[in-house]
Amino acid sequence: MAVQVLTHPSRSFDRNGPFTTVASVASAAAQFPAANDPIYGAARTYYNANTQAVNTILKGWIGGGYLELVPKVGSMAKKLHTRQYANYGDLLKAAVFEHRSRPSITIENRLAAEANNSAEIEQGLAGALLAIYNRVMGLGTYRRTRILNELRTFSGAYWIYYRRTRFGIGIASYIQNPNPAWVTTNIAIYHDLMEYFLSKYERDGTPRKHFPKKTAGQGLIHEEEQYEFGSFQYTDLRGQVVTVNIKLGDDYRNTLSTPNESVEVTQSARDKDMLMWASHSWTTLRLMQLVKWASGNNLDHYEAVAWALFAFWNRTMLQGVHPIHRFHEVMDIAKNFGVYYREFTYPDHAPGHDPARPYSNWYSRFM
């Protein structure tokens, strides 16, 4: 099943259901009340002018599209890609803004390619890995020894998404002298180390799902609540200044691949035609927490990890298997740790690729 609309749980978009055509979906969406919803009003206007293009997106979602083109991924991939909406108006909005934002794919591809070939990001990311090793070496003898022993064989979730080969040495040995040129390998390792060090329990005491079994490093980093918040203002489609309060939580997306169209943070991104997929990134928050624990307030490390993570999702992740986070969904979180990001704006270049500025002055171009 590719799409579900919760208002009609018995009329889901499977191949045998009544809503198997784009026309029937568009008809149902037309019944959605547009009052007090400028995003939907803009979506309807755009849909009327670009019906065929948006219908192509809807057809792909409803029929499974790209999911069926991925070989041997089984039902789990289909489940991860399932889109789920509260009503047909939200479904149409999502398809419309998916099309409206698609020109930005070219920009994000270029920025990701630059990030993967940036000497500054290479050095910053390698330094972030070395900082983890140094932080571990500063722990008590018993815990340090246990951690180093476990890291000789440990590998986390991104070993699946990035089919890197083993080095012949374990992570514990590698992070003593990481190769800066291996940006993709290094960010995959950094992610897996985050899982190794993160607390096994949520703040409410419930155990995390899909995380490693108990490790000697578990609990050394935590998700600190103050970094889940953010606030900014923008002028919406009606010309009104809106204050958006960002809070990561269960309501900001419906499924792993479905942003919640009714929350402010999604509406603001739709208003500005920002690419969205898996919505704001918990993973970015967790990796920033690892940087804080290992590197303190080293801005080079924060920036390198954030940009390399964005590039990994854009260029390397097996997107047919798992949804990804877009640039806005990463940097809107990373900015809470000092990484420069101007809301709804792409920089001209990734760090280290601006021909007009040396790296040491990269931030000054925004001041």
Side-chain angles (χ1 to χ4, degrees):
M1 186 181 298
V3 181
Q4 295 175 327
V5 175
L6 301 184
T7 50
H8 299 286
S10 65
R11 301 165 71 186
S12 55
F13 291 102
D14 63 276
R15 290 186 175 276
N16 298 316
F19 285 83
T20 56
T21 67
V22 169
S24 60
V25 173
S27 176
Q31 308 306 313
F32 182 74
N36 301 318
D37 191 342
I39 301 296
Y40 180 72
R44 287 299 312 183
T45 300
Y46 188 90
Y47 179 74
N48 292 337
N50 301 272
T51 303
Q52 184 175 353
V54 178
N55 282 352
T56 298
I57 292 173
L58 283 170
K59 184 178 180 181
W61 289 355
I62 295 167
Y66 56 88
L67 293 178
E68 296 178 348
L69 299 178
V70 180
K72 299 180 181 179
V73 295
S75 60
M76 178 55 70
K78 291 187 178 182
K79 180 179 179 181
L80 291 175
H81 282 275
T82 294
R83 294 177 175 270
Q84 192 175 80
Y85 298 94
N87 52 64
Y88 293 100
D90 282 358
L91 170 57
L92 186 65
K93 280 189 287 187
V96 163
F97 287 99
E98 172 78 8
H99 185 263
R100 282 177 52 151
S101 63
R102 280 190 171 181
S104 296
I105 292 176
T106 300
I107 299 174
E108 295 202 0
N109 287 344
R110 175 178 57 79
L111 290 174
E114 289 182 355
N116 279 337
N117 292 279
S118 164
E120 286 72 22
I121 291 176
E122 289 177 357
Q123 294 296 325
L125 184 55
L129 282 172
L130 180 60
I132 293 175
Y133 176 78
N134 290 334
R135 188 74 168 83
V136 169
M137 292 303 291
L139 298 174
T141 302
Y142 176 72
R143 194 168 200 183
R144 176 182 71 227
T145 301
R146 290 184 61 207
I147 288 172
L148 293 177
N149 285 337
E150 288 180 351
L151 288 181
R152 291 191 175 97
T153 57
F154 175 79
S155 62
Y158 274 22
W159 199 280
I160 299 170
Y161 300 132
Y162 172 46
R163 296 168 181 169
R164 64 181 189 264
T165 57
R166 295 183 181 271
F167 318 114
I169 57 176
I171 289 177
S173 298
Y174 178 74
I175 62 177
Q176 295 180 56
N177 186 30
N179 186 336
W182 295 359
V183 172
T184 302
T185 294
N186 289 345
I187 193 60
I189 291 173
Y190 204 88
H191 171 278
D192 290 352
L193 286 171
M194 173 273 292
E195 292 188 341
Y196 178 86
F197 288 108
L198 189 67
S199 171
K200 186 174 178 61
Y201 298 95
E202 307 281 1
R203 284 197 306 273
D204 63 4
T206 57
R208 301 182 188 279
K209 298 178 180 179
H210 314 304
F211 271 70
K213 295 180 180 179
K214 186 174 181 180
T215 70
Q218 208 162 73
L220 287 174
I221 64 170
H222 302 268
E223 294 161 340
E224 297 180 38
E225 189 172 7
Q226 68 266 29
Y227 293 110
E228 298 171 18
F229 292 86
S231 180
F232 61 89
Q233 291 184 329
Y234 79 105
T235 302
D236 70 9
L237 291 166
R238 296 170 292 187
Q240 298 179 0
V241 176
V242 178
T243 299
V244 176
N245 297 303
I246 302 170
K247 171 69 169 72
L248 288 180
D250 294 336
D251 64 341
Y252 76 111
R253 62 187 180 196
N254 300 334
T255 71
L256 193 59
S257 61
T258 317
N260 183 344
E261 298 293 331
S262 66
V263 297
E264 284 182 328
V265 69
T266 303
Q267 292 173 350
S268 64
R270 297 304 196 195
D271 194 299
K272 299 300 182 181
D273 292 334
M274 296 304 297
L275 280 169
M276 298 192 76
W277 191 348
S279 195
H280 283 66
S281 168
W282 277 108
T283 301
T284 300
L285 174 65
R286 292 163 180 159
L287 264 64
M288 294 295 97
Q289 297 280 193
L290 179 55
V291 176
K292 180 181 178 182
W293 176 75
S295 305
N297 293 316
N298 190 313
L299 184 58
D300 289 347
H301 293 182
Y302 282 123
E303 177 190 82
V305 170
W307 275 86
L309 183 62
F310 153 69
F312 181 92
W313 282 326
N314 183 279
R315 307 289 292 179
T316 306
M317 188 78 137
L318 301 176
Q319 295 177 17
V321 175
H322 204 289
I324 66 166
H325 295 284
R326 299 295 192 180
F327 187 82
H328 170 69
E329 297 167 337
V330 174
M331 296 303 169
D332 218 21
I333 301 301
K335 72 181 181 185
N336 292 323
F337 296 82
V339 177
Y340 182 82
Y341 173 62
R342 180 179 292 166
E343 287 84 8
F344 313 123
T345 303
Y346 290 109
D348 294 335
H349 296 280
H353 281 267
D354 190 335
R357 301 277 184 176
Y359 174 66
S360 60
N361 293 324
W362 190 81
Y363 286 94
S364 67
R365 67 189 298 273
F366 300 105
M367 307 308 288

